[in-house]
């Protein structure tokens, strides 16, 4: 489709000046498209939807309603950051939906990875649909589609996929960054004043921590996963690895092993550390974390995370292993 092809004359946005020109152009285009009508956006807090939100806030202000769904599978501090940045600092119209119990109840006892993904995706659309129905007079739906999404698929990305909305809830699409590559989205995000932790965020899968809490998700194991991931991210940030390593996270499989604390035997979970470098996620190499840092992370996780007595370091490249464990 011609309308889904990046114009050949479009310059690569790699300077603040080019980002400013893009922002001005998009604000004018968004105002022309939306007029005085209302627009809805599913705001995950990822860089793409955050940039779209920031652009729309500048263009149409209170005509935008952002919906942030907390499905309980977000990383530590993420829902709080979305509220702080968009509601408190940018004065956006933001609906925060606490759907944690709803998702975790639906996922209880489900161990098959693809079934877990389907439940998370379907439930997300249902929650979003309910919120959309409560709002009156919405005519537009904004999406953080970027150019690689169009090139690699049919233009609908997994974690922004609200394309499953029923017939009577079809909106006109607003996709202001659909011709941008990821690095360009980041330059624009920086210029829009979004915090570095959002702009330079590592890739995070749509099903979130759900695919890292391997097997059937339980609340306590999910908590161990969230806490260990927060420790890993904190230590990577402190040691200059944030923004250098492509993707890093922890995994907590549904498996226990024996440990010993204060002379008493324990039977608890283990945490796996995964840190990889990649260009496009089709292949990946393992980041060689310096041993002193690795020891420090192991020490912190086993001391601070409840229910964990062991930490492993995944040294498998892709292929043969995938990046995620599910
Ligand atoms: P794998 O595990 O296949 O992951 O090597 C490649 C990249 O894709 C991300 N990933 C997902 N992203 N929905 C997403 O939006 C998913 O279901 C999903 N599964 C994997 C993964 O984090 C890695 O960056």
């Amino acid at each position: 489709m011609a309308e889904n092809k990046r114009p050949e004359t479009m310059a690569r946005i790699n300077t603040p000046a080019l980002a400013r020109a893009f922002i001005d152009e998009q604000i004018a285009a968004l105002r022309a498209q939306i007029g005085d009508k209302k627009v809805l956006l599913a705001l995950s807090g990822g860089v793409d939807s955050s940039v779209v939100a920031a652009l729309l806030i500048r263009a149409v202000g209170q005509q935008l309603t952002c919906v942030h769904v907390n499905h309980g599978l977000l990383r530590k501090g993420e829902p709080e950051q979305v509220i702080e940045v968009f509601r408190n600092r940018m004065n956006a119209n933001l609906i925060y939906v606490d759907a944690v119990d709803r998702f975790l109840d639906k996922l209880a006892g489900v161990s098959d990875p693809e079934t877990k993904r389907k439940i998370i995706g379907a439930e997300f659309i249902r929650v979003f649909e309910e919120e959309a129905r409560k709002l009156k007079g919405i005519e537009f739906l904004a999406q953080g589609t970027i150019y690689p999404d169009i090139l690699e698929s049919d233009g609908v990305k997994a974690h922004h996929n609200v394309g499953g909305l029923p017939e009577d809830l079809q909106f006109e699409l607003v996709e202001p960054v659909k011709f941008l590559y990821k690095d360009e989205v980041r330059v624009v995000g920086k210029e829009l004043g979004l915090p570095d932790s959002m702009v330079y965020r590592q890739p995070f899968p749509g099903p979130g921590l759900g695919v890292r809490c391997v097997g059937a998700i339980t609340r306590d194991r999910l908590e161990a996963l969230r806490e260990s991931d927060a420790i890993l991210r904190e230590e990577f940030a402190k040691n200059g690895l944030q923004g250098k390593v492509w993707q890093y996270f922890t995994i907590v499989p549904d498996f226990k092993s024996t440990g010993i604390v204060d002379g008493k035997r324990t039977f608890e979970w283990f945490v796996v550390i995964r840190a990889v470098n990649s260009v496009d996620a089709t292949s990946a190499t393992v980041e060689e974390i310096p041993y002193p840092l690795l020891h420090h992370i192991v020490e912190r996780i086993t001391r601070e995370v409840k229910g964990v007595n062991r930490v492993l370091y995944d040294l498998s490249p892709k292929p043969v292993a995938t990046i995620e464990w599910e």
Side-chain angles (χ1 to χ4, degrees):
M1 269 194 301
E3 68 193 43
N4 270 345
K5 191 158 178 346
R6 179 175 165 124
E8 272 163 26
T9 50
M10 194 170 152
R12 191 83 179 196
I13 301 169
N14 52 14
T15 64
L18 286 169
R20 277 195 296 278
F22 174 83
I23 292 165
D24 291 344
E25 205 177 276
Q26 284 308 314
I27 288 175
L30 288 167
R31 285 181 181 153
Q33 185 186 5
I34 298 163
D36 60 357
K37 304 288 192 311
K38 290 184 183 167
V39 53
L40 187 61
L41 168 73
L43 177 60
S44 68
V47 58
D48 308 332
S49 65
S50 295
V51 166
V52 170
L55 276 171
L56 280 160
I57 291 163
R58 289 223 188 156
V60 298
Q62 296 297 304
Q63 289 161 248
L64 169 72
T65 300
C66 303
V67 177
H68 178 62
V69 178
N70 182 358
H71 51 28
L73 305 167
L74 299 170
R75 288 171 292 193
K76 189 172 179 176
E78 283 186 324
E80 292 82 0
Q81 187 184 39
V82 168
I83 292 171
E84 170 58 24
V85 170
F86 292 99
R87 183 185 286 163
N88 300 351
R89 283 195 227 160
M90 295 194 181
N91 198 28
N93 216 340
L94 172 73
I95 298 174
Y96 168 75
V97 187
D98 179 349
V100 176
D101 287 342
R102 199 168 150 168
F103 276 82
L104 296 187
D105 288 351
K106 275 254 153 66
L107 286 163
V110 180
S111 57
D112 176 66
E114 290 319 310
T115 311
K116 284 165 71 177
R117 276 189 172 80
K118 277 197 192 110
I119 291 173
I120 297 164
E123 199 58 20
F124 181 85
I125 291 169
R126 227 162 285 145
V127 172
F128 189 75
E129 179 191 338
E130 285 172 20
E131 293 306 316
R133 284 197 192 285
K134 286 185 207 160
L135 300 164
K136 299 277 173 269
I138 304 273
E139 291 191 20
F140 295 91
L141 179 70
Q143 292 201 149
T145 313
I146 66 170
Y147 205 42
D149 302 327
I150 293 176
L151 295 179
E152 287 158 23
S153 66
D154 58 1
V156 182
K157 65 203 293 183
H159 66 288
H160 286 286
N161 186 1
V162 279
L165 290 174
E167 281 280 303
D168 66 317
L169 267 186
Q170 292 300 318
F171 308 103
E172 186 180 323
L173 287 183
V174 174
E175 297 177 303
V177 296
K178 74 172 179 179
F179 292 137
L180 300 194
Y181 289 97
K182 198 78 177 188
D183 54 301
E184 299 179 294
V185 180
R186 294 193 208 278
V187 179
V188 171
K190 181 95 185 135
E191 201 51 36
L192 284 164
L194 293 174
D196 282 1
S197 55
M198 235 170 209
V199 171
Y200 301 110
R201 216 170 86 146
Q202 52 167 319
F204 188 58
L209 298 180
V211 290
R212 297 171 183 173
C213 194
V214 181
I217 299 168
T218 58
R219 287 172 196 249
D220 43 6
R221 206 153 43 83
L222 184 59
E223 210 39 44
L225 174 61
R226 204 184 323 268
E227 290 301 320
S228 58
D229 175 76
I231 291 171
L232 183 73
R233 285 191 290 136
E234 193 185 311
E235 291 299 331
F236 267 42
K238 267 195 220 158
N239 289 278
L241 294 174
Q242 178 182 290
K244 177 181 168 279
V245 180
W246 193 75
Q247 198 174 17
Y248 48 96
F249 53 89
T250 60
I251 300 123
V252 182
D254 188 9
F255 195 92
K256 287 185 174 177
S257 72
T258 306
I260 187 144
V261 178
D262 299 331
K264 285 204 191 84
R265 287 166 87 83
T266 61
F267 193 53
E268 296 180 311
W269 301 301
F270 60 86
V271 164
V272 180
I273 295 174
R274 188 98 170 110
V276 296
N277 291 304
S278 178
V279 175
D280 57 8
T282 55
S283 65
T285 55
V286 175
E287 168 73 14
E288 293 183 15
I289 306 172
Y291 257 67
L293 174 59
L294 207 46
H295 282 301
H296 178 61
I297 294 169
V298 172
E299 201 271 324
R300 275 198 67 189
I301 290 176
T302 47
R303 180 163 41 87
E304 295 174 34
V305 182
K306 205 165 158 260
V308 169
N309 64 5
R310 195 181 291 270
V311 180
L312 311 185
Y313 180 19
D314 186 347
L315 293 176
S316 328
K318 176 181 181 178
V320 59
T322 51
I323 295 173
E324 302 290 347
W325 270 43
E326 279 194 337

